[in-house]
Amino acid sequence: MEKLKAELILKANAELAEGPLWNEEEARLYWVDINVGELHRFDPATGRDECFSCEEPIGTVAFRKGGGLVGALKSGVYLLELEDVSCKKTKIIDPEPETPNRFNDGKCDPAGRFLAGTCYTPLPDGGSIPGGFYSVSPDGSCRALLSDVSISNGLCFRADHRVLYYIDSLNYGVTAYDYDLSSGSISNPRTVVTVPKESGLPDGMTIDENGNLWIALFGGGKVICADPESGNVLAEVTVPTRKVTCPTFGGADFSILYLTTAWENSSPQEREIDPLGGSLFAVRPGVKGLPSFRFGG
């Protein structure tokens, strides 16, 4: 198994950095700090990091074909435009108007739909309000792809667009679904990668040009590269902080793997021992990724 090590590129001190997304036209890395409701735009060439307030928790963003972004916020899915230090929000839909759940990870599919899911909310009696996984079309229509979700997390598509890989974190693995691109429906779930609980919680995920999956292990201080055909781990990227949240490929030729991390729920003592939580990291894994899909018809 190949062993790699990620290097620090920005000591951001974000509570819960997530959703890294490379914009090839701008050569910038977009990312969010979920709980504080911030969207960031980082320039690796200069080290400059810009911050835009969304005034509520934001789980993830994707680019739109006509410019601007689409984002999954606490109160629903919105079209976003950046203005000085804030985001102009135009609401599309809230798939869960009666729950306290918040959105987490998401991406666009090759047809321009925005796929994003929510996190469950624990209740005082030991029960919970389950999350869901949704598909929002450019015309504003929305459908639930999955219900009874724990923590909706990483997703990506096989190169032929016929398979969706998806992580519901508390399942400790990656599930593959047959994907009907014309209708946006999923079927035939099967586990293709299993993550041992002692390795960390599977979080964000991306795919490389060879069809292998790069999976962040929250609490495990690493990202693994796994072959979804065999389930074997091919490579491991160690990160000098424990709570690794999400990888994405970027750079001029998509040969750099960017990583977000967090310090959420860490005690003062844990933060003293692990001071780089909430920073951005990068590594050149020797394989390239692919551009992200964009929202719109």
Side-chain angles (χ1 to χ4, degrees):
M1 181 173 63
E2 186 178 9
K3 300 267 190 172
L4 304 163
K5 184 177 179 180
E7 302 294 334
L8 176 70
I9 59 169
L10 178 68
K11 195 174 187 302
N13 197 36
E15 181 183 5
L16 184 52
E18 259 281 14
L21 183 66
W22 181 257
N23 186 297
E24 54 267 38
E25 291 87 7
E26 300 176 4
R28 303 288 192 274
L29 183 74
Y30 286 67
W31 59 279
V32 301
D33 191 352
I34 292 181
N35 295 333
V36 296
E38 292 177 352
L39 172 60
H40 290 251
R41 182 169 60 192
F42 174 65
D43 183 351
T46 64
R48 183 187 181 201
D49 185 63
E50 301 171 87
C51 177
F52 305 88
S53 174
C54 296
E55 299 181 336
E56 62 176 297
I58 177 170
T60 191
V61 295
F63 300 123
R64 288 152 50 196
K65 291 180 180 178
L69 303 103
V70 58
L73 281 69
K74 170 78 172 178
S75 62
V77 176
Y78 289 80
L79 301 179
L80 302 176
E81 301 285 351
L82 303 185
E83 297 182 335
D84 297 324
V85 295
S86 64
C87 291
K88 178 184 177 182
K89 302 183 292 186
T90 303
K91 194 167 189 175
I92 303 175
I93 195 167
D94 183 2
E96 295 187 13
E98 305 301 324
T99 80
N101 297 343
R102 70 156 175 82
F103 270 99
N104 199 45
D105 210 344
K107 288 187 175 79
C108 287
D109 79 356
R113 305 178 187 92
F114 183 51
L115 276 58
T118 59
C119 298
Y120 79 104
T121 300
L123 298 174
D125 63 4
S128 66
I129 300 171
F133 182 49
Y134 303 95
S135 174
V136 179
S137 296
D139 64 5
S141 61
C142 177
R143 64 188 293 189
L145 298 179
L146 295 170
S147 57
D148 200 23
V149 170
S150 65
I151 303 171
S152 190
N153 243 313
L155 65 151
C156 52
F157 289 88
R158 199 170 70 184
D160 63 5
H161 306 160
R162 296 176 64 183
V163 173
L164 166 69
Y165 298 110
Y166 175 72
I167 292 174
D168 182 352
S169 289
L170 295 186
N171 289 339
Y172 284 89
V174 179
T175 302
Y177 293 89
D178 292 339
Y179 195 77
D180 186 328
L181 190 59
S182 61
S183 66
S185 61
I186 60 175
S187 61
N188 189 27
R190 63 270 186 197
T191 300
V192 292
V193 178
T194 300
V195 176
K197 288 187 178 182
E198 61 270 20
S199 297
L201 192 71
D203 202 317
M205 175 173 61
T206 191
I207 193 167
D208 66 28
E209 61 184 352
N210 297 326
N212 295 318
L213 306 175
W214 295 79
I215 305 161
L217 299 183
F218 189 89
K222 67 181 68 172
V223 173
I224 58 170
C225 173
D227 175 3
E229 297 300 319
S230 66
N232 294 335
V233 176
L234 309 177
E236 179 180 289
V237 180
T238 27
V239 186
T241 187
R242 291 181 57 249
K243 296 180 176 180
V244 187
T245 57
C246 194
T248 197
F249 283 95
D253 56 358
F254 289 90
S255 63
I256 301 173
L257 189 69
Y258 291 102
L259 313 173
T260 50
T261 66
W263 57 260
E264 183 187 39
N265 296 327
S266 296
S267 68
Q269 294 78 14
E270 288 170 329
R271 292 191 66 190
E272 186 173 348
I273 296 168
D274 187 8
L276 294 181
S279 299
L280 304 186
F281 296 84
V283 64
R284 290 185 179 271
V287 66
K288 296 178 182 179
L290 303 164
S292 61
F293 301 115
R294 301 196 174 197
F295 184 70

